[in-house]
């Protein structure tokens, strides 16, 4: 499971469904701007997804539903529900949690990146020396410094650290991997 769309433009972060912590009926209503129901989604039963519904990240085996979020108000999140940038709303009370992008990218299991385009650096600076990339390693997000992400790899107690750019203006340069 991974987030596919690399553009951040027009979004302020993501809204993630907290399943099963909040599961009551298993039905997640997605609303039109006027508050009427656009679609009711049954998380554990409705796969494949309807053509009109393409979350930023989705998984059933490991319950995951993440939407890009464009606005937050007192009661609702405005979300992008598909690749046509169709905007709908969901109630905060339905068990969703908002995360700004810089927070969300730190909560994924690991990250992928193209080392030829985005090499691992010793420091968060494009002029810093590069470090070796190992395609057999998993790279874990550690912390954010503006457009840079510190990553770690190796094993507990022997971690190695480096930096990659996680975004460039409104484009994400890493792949978010939700399960190792």
């Amino acid at each position: 499971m991974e987030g596919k769309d690399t553009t951040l433009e027009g979004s302020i972060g993501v809204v993630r469904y907290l399943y099963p912590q909040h599961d009551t009926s298993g039905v997640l209503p997605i609303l039109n701007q006027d508050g009427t129901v656009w679609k009711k989604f049954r998380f554990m039963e409705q796969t494949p997804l309807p053509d009109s519904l393409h979350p930023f990240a989705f998984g059933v085996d490991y319950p995951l539903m993440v939407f890009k979020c464009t606005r937050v108000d007192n009661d609702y999140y405005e979300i992008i529900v598909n690749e046509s940038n169709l905007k709908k709303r969901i109630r905060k009370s339905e068990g969703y949690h908002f995360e700004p992008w810089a927070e969300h990218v730190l909560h994924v299991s690991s990250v992928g990146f193209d080392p030829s385009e985005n090499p691992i650096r010793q420091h968060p600076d494009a002029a810093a020396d590069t470090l070796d990339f190992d395609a057999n390693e998993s790279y874990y997000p550690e912390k954010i410094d503006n457009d840079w992400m510190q990553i770690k790899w190796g094993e507990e107690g022997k971690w190695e650290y480096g930096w990659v750019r996680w975004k460039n203006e409104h484009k994400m340069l890493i792949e978010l991997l939700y399960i190792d």
Side-chain angles (χ1 to χ4, degrees):
M1 278 166 282
E2 58 198 53
K4 301 171 207 83
D5 184 359
T6 61
T7 182
L8 306 176
E9 193 165 14
S11 63
I12 58 174
V14 298
V15 175
R16 183 172 47 96
Y17 182 61
L18 301 177
Y19 180 90
Q21 295 95 325
H22 189 78
D23 187 40
T24 53
S25 67
V27 176
L28 306 176
I30 299 174
L31 309 174
N32 293 309
Q33 297 300 330
D34 65 4
T36 59
V37 174
W38 176 65
K39 291 215 181 291
K40 285 186 178 180
F41 178 78
R42 235 178 237 291
F43 196 88
M44 296 305 286
E45 297 173 13
Q46 197 164 347
T47 54
L49 291 173
D51 289 341
S52 56
L53 185 61
H54 294 278
F56 176 72
F58 176 77
V60 174
D61 295 336
Y62 177 79
L64 175 74
M65 184 173 297
V66 178
F67 292 101
K68 288 183 180 181
C69 182
T70 59
R71 190 167 48 99
V72 177
D73 66 27
N74 289 337
D75 300 316
Y76 297 94
Y77 299 112
E78 184 178 74
I79 59 171
I80 297 173
V81 296
N82 62 30
E83 295 163 1
S84 300
N85 288 323
L86 182 62
K87 293 179 184 174
K88 298 294 178 181
R89 295 173 18 156
I90 50 178
R91 287 184 197 92
K92 288 181 174 180
S93 63
E94 294 292 338
Y96 291 90
H97 172 72
F98 172 75
E99 295 175 338
W101 281 110
E103 181 182 325
H104 181 69
V105 298
L106 293 176
H107 290 148
V108 299
S109 294
S110 61
V111 296
F113 53 93
D114 180 348
S116 64
E117 297 287 321
N118 191 10
I120 304 171
R121 304 277 179 182
Q122 286 185 347
H123 307 286
D125 181 335
D129 289 340
T130 61
L131 300 172
D132 290 335
F133 173 81
D134 183 346
N136 296 316
E137 285 284 354
S138 292
Y139 292 89
Y140 306 102
E142 188 67 14
K143 69 180 178 180
I144 297 290
D145 182 357
N146 295 315
D147 291 356
W148 291 87
M149 171 186 284
Q150 186 180 47
I151 55 173
K152 68 181 182 181
W153 62 96
E155 57 186 75
E156 194 70 41
K158 298 179 185 176
W159 293 117
E160 295 184 55
Y161 294 87
W163 293 84
V164 294
R165 288 193 60 153
W166 75 273
K167 71 179 183 91
N168 182 4
E169 294 183 18
H170 298 294
K171 181 175 178 157
M172 189 176 306
L173 302 175
I174 59 172
E175 180 180 18
L176 303 181
L177 305 170
Y178 290 89
I179 297 179
D180 266 344

